[in-house]
Amino acid sequence: MNLIKIFSIFGIALLLASCSKDDYKLGSKIDPYLRFNFMVNSNNVPLEYPTVSGILIPQSTYKNSSVKTLKIPVALTANPLKGAVTAHFSAVSTTGDNDSFTVNPVNQLVFEGSKVTDTIFVSFDKRWTANQSITLKLETVSDPEIHIGNLNSTYPNDTFKIDLGTITTNYTFPVTQYVIKGEVGETIDFKVNFPNGFFPSEIEKAAIFKFQNGFEYSLTHDDYGDNRSSITYHLTLLEDLQNDDARYESKISLVNIPNYNATGNLNLTIVKPTKSPRDLQAYPASKFTDPTNAFYLTYGEHWFNNNGTCTWQTFNALTFPVVVTKDNENAILYSDKGTANPNDDVYHDAFKIGFNVSTGANTVNSFGLKRWFSNESNAAAVSPGFNITSALEFFPENGNSKTQGTVLVIPQDLTIGSSASNTHIISISGEGTYKEISAGLYEISFELKLTNDKLFGGTVSTQYRMYNNRVYPKPAALSIPCPKEVTL
């Protein structure tokens, strides 16, 4: 059977499955109809117009636990329209408090020209009561030839019910570290993400932060507006930090408050590191990255326990440059995108690399850390610390060597857990060297330290070797102890 026949049969099957026998008349025009067109993906996340799918089936109910505005598309099957068409709908709460939500527009939808989809926005103004539901119903349409609901009685989609489930509200930092220049008046913007939204009245006066400050700054935030997914904060430096031999650091941590749990990345570090003169043209980061390859790997070994014996064990991780702005002191131009417009130029940090996924919500095995734990979650929402986007910093010998120098594990806190309710903050640090050991083959040799009192009883460490090619000489065995796997 050829592909054309397969697709034809598949299409007929879909048609018959979705329509009654009287809905379609061969050789005749199909009557236009109006219906709710609310769809969800495989993760039960609603598709928002103009995103569409020819495979997904419109839903008649949806269980909602988010306090973000819910968008319900209503679609008209007539294209294009000769004139404006209006439709009226009702919205009622079958149980609970009608004042806990707002519907916009109030009761009228408009379709005209090529605009054959309109959207009902349901926003939530306060926490709802248990088992509350909201029902939307298409009532009338201005054109009598337009049928309300699908042309079948099995799945009419002329009503849409929102079941309001248990509210889950939490927050997290999407970025864990910012590097500053240390100039008075300097401002950095950072976000706190709310995956399921938030109520401004609950957050406005809440103390969601704990501070460990190494310098003076002020903190403000944007107006909330209609955005319930994140809050943007502005940190403004109030003093000059100009001692190049000193490291300045402040830390902002998320804490739990009533109705909101801190999850994922809990700590944000703002740092001005010690300054070391370096020649951008040494560009050691380029030896360990390939921005043209989204699946570029570096390869490593660490001295670790394997069934009671210390051995070198292998790992690898997707490796990327660290993207910076033009004014960063370590910025080196990677691409002008073939245009004369400097605003679209891409700059990389000449001395830093990181590890991350190319796309999606999973994690990579930065520093082989997944071997350290027996029951870790690989989801970025639970263990964002497995993706270390700014992990290693290079310091060329004499500031300009293109073949060797020292390397620093950028100090930072990682969140790793077995579930959303069982996560741990692990501080990492370390240092070592890097060197071209044969033509084009570079080796990074360093000690990695992990600190967590509950998991490790303090600080543990081991030796690492990393390479920019999968073919490298096996490191010689060491005569030192090695850490072993722990249970989170």
Side-chain angles (χ1 to χ4, degrees):
M1 183 178 294
N2 62 36
L3 287 175
I4 294 177
K5 287 185 177 179
I6 292 174
F7 287 132
S8 298
I9 293 172
F10 181 68
I12 293 171
L14 284 177
L15 184 65
L16 293 176
S18 61
C19 309
S20 70
K21 65 181 181 180
D22 296 324
D23 286 345
Y24 293 90
K25 300 175 182 179
L26 293 176
S28 64
K29 182 180 178 182
I30 300 173
D31 292 335
Y33 59 94
L34 182 73
R35 87 293 192 192
F36 288 102
N37 199 35
F38 185 90
M39 301 179 186
V40 296
N41 64 19
S42 58
N43 294 320
N44 202 41
V45 176
L47 269 62
E48 293 188 4
Y49 181 81
T51 302
V52 295
S53 172
I55 300 175
L56 298 176
I57 298 174
Q59 304 294 301
S60 58
T61 63
Y62 178 69
K63 187 170 184 177
N64 180 58
S65 60
S66 168
V67 301
K68 293 191 293 187
T69 297
L70 189 61
K71 304 173 184 179
I72 301 103
V74 179
L76 176 60
T77 57
N79 191 21
L81 297 172
K82 295 180 180 179
V85 173
T86 58
H88 289 82
F89 66 93
S90 60
V92 296
S93 175
T94 55
T95 59
D97 184 1
N98 281 323
D99 294 330
S100 65
F101 66 95
T102 301
V103 177
N104 187 42
V106 176
N107 63 4
Q108 180 174 286
L109 302 168
V110 179
F111 310 87
E112 54 187 336
S114 59
K115 177 181 174 285
V116 291
T117 293
D118 204 354
T119 302
I120 300 172
F121 298 85
V122 180
S123 58
F124 302 97
D125 307 310
K126 61 182 180 180
R127 291 182 179 267
W128 53 76
T129 58
N131 301 319
Q132 185 174 350
S133 63
I134 302 168
T135 298
L136 306 174
K137 183 180 180 181
L138 298 174
E139 301 282 4
T140 62
V141 61
S142 61
D143 186 339
E145 294 186 2
I146 297 175
H147 186 270
I148 294 179
N150 285 328
L151 301 180
N152 67 78
S153 56
T154 306
Y155 303 105
N157 291 116
D158 57 347
T159 62
F160 183 75
K161 183 182 179 185
I162 307 165
D163 290 317
L164 301 179
T166 302
I167 301 175
T168 301
T169 42
N170 46 42
Y171 39 60
T172 187
F173 285 123
V175 177
T176 60
Q177 187 176 92
Y178 286 92
V179 177
I180 58 175
K181 298 176 184 178
E183 301 170 350
V184 65
E186 179 181 357
T187 298
I188 64 165
D189 297 337
F190 67 87
K191 288 183 181 292
V192 175
N193 281 354
F194 295 77
N196 285 326
F198 66 95
F199 294 106
S201 60
E202 295 178 344
I203 293 296
E204 178 60 43
K205 296 182 180 180
I208 70 172
F209 295 134
K210 178 177 68 175
F211 302 94
Q212 292 177 303
N213 293 332
F215 48 82
E216 295 297 320
Y217 59 86
S218 64
L219 197 62
T220 60
H221 65 76
D222 284 347
D223 291 337
Y224 300 132
D226 295 329
N227 175 25
R228 300 289 180 85
S229 297
S230 66
I231 301 174
T232 298
Y233 289 84
H234 311 284
L235 183 151
T236 302
L237 198 61
L238 298 180
E239 62 175 303
D240 266 328
L241 310 176
Q242 296 306 317
N243 183 352
D244 290 343
D245 295 326
R247 175 183 171 89
Y248 300 89
E249 180 178 297
S250 286
K251 184 179 291 186
I252 301 175
S253 301
L254 292 170
V255 297
N256 294 329
I257 61 172
N259 295 320
Y260 292 83
N261 291 321
T263 59
N265 292 320
L266 307 184
N267 296 325
L268 172 66
T269 302
I270 301 96
V271 60
K272 179 185 181 292
T274 55
K275 190 171 183 179
S276 176
R278 289 175 285 186
D279 182 357
L280 291 176
Q281 299 310 311
Y283 201 0
S286 65
K287 307 298 190 295
F288 301 95
T289 59
D290 180 3
T292 66
N293 180 3
F295 302 100
Y296 179 81
L297 297 168
T298 49
Y299 302 84
E301 307 233 5
H302 59 166
W303 189 246
F304 207 80
N305 187 288
N306 182 19
N307 295 321
T309 302
C310 292
T311 63
W312 287 109
Q313 298 194 61
T314 62
F315 66 92
N316 58 60
L318 293 169
T319 310
F320 297 93
V322 175
V323 178
V324 295
T325 57
K326 181 181 180 179
D327 61 350
N328 186 293
E329 65 179 3
N330 297 329
I332 189 166
L333 179 64
Y334 166 66
S335 173
D336 63 6
K337 293 191 174 181
T339 73
N341 182 3
N343 294 325
D344 65 0
D345 292 350
V346 178
Y347 288 85
H348 292 162
D349 193 304
F351 305 106
K352 293 180 182 178
I353 63 171
F355 312 106
N356 203 355
V357 291
S358 55
T359 59
N362 213 318
T363 54
V364 296
N365 197 14
S366 300
F367 297 137
L369 288 176
K370 294 180 181 180
R371 187 173 282 121
W372 287 71
F373 312 105
S374 62
N375 58 334
E376 74 281 0
S377 169
N378 292 323
V382 175
S383 299
F386 284 136
N387 296 332
I388 309 177
T389 56
S390 187
L392 292 173
E393 184 168 8
F394 302 96
F395 298 84
E397 188 173 86
N398 299 321
N400 59 7
S401 174
K402 295 186 177 182
T403 59
Q404 62 186 9
T406 58
V407 67
L408 178 73
V409 177
I410 298 172
Q412 57 194 288
D413 294 331
L414 310 179
T415 299
I416 294 173
S418 60
S419 67
S421 59
N422 180 37
T423 60
H424 303 267
I425 303 297
I426 300 167
S427 299
I428 65 167
S429 61
E431 59 185 346
T433 61
Y434 71 96
K435 185 177 182 179
E436 186 178 27
I437 59 175
S438 64
L441 178 62
Y442 283 79
E443 177 188 72
I444 309 173
S445 174
F446 62 98
E447 179 187 37
L448 178 68
K449 299 177 182 179
L450 276 67
T451 301
N452 180 283
D453 289 340
K454 182 177 181 180
L455 295 175
F456 309 122
T459 299
V460 292
S461 66
T462 195
Q463 284 291 313
Y464 277 74
R465 306 290 186 267
M466 289 185 63
Y467 304 88
N468 62 339
N469 194 297
R470 66 186 305 168
V471 179
Y472 55 84
K474 187 74 173 180
L478 302 176
S479 57
I480 60 172
C482 60
K484 62 181 180 180
E485 186 179 73
V486 299
T487 300
L488 294 169

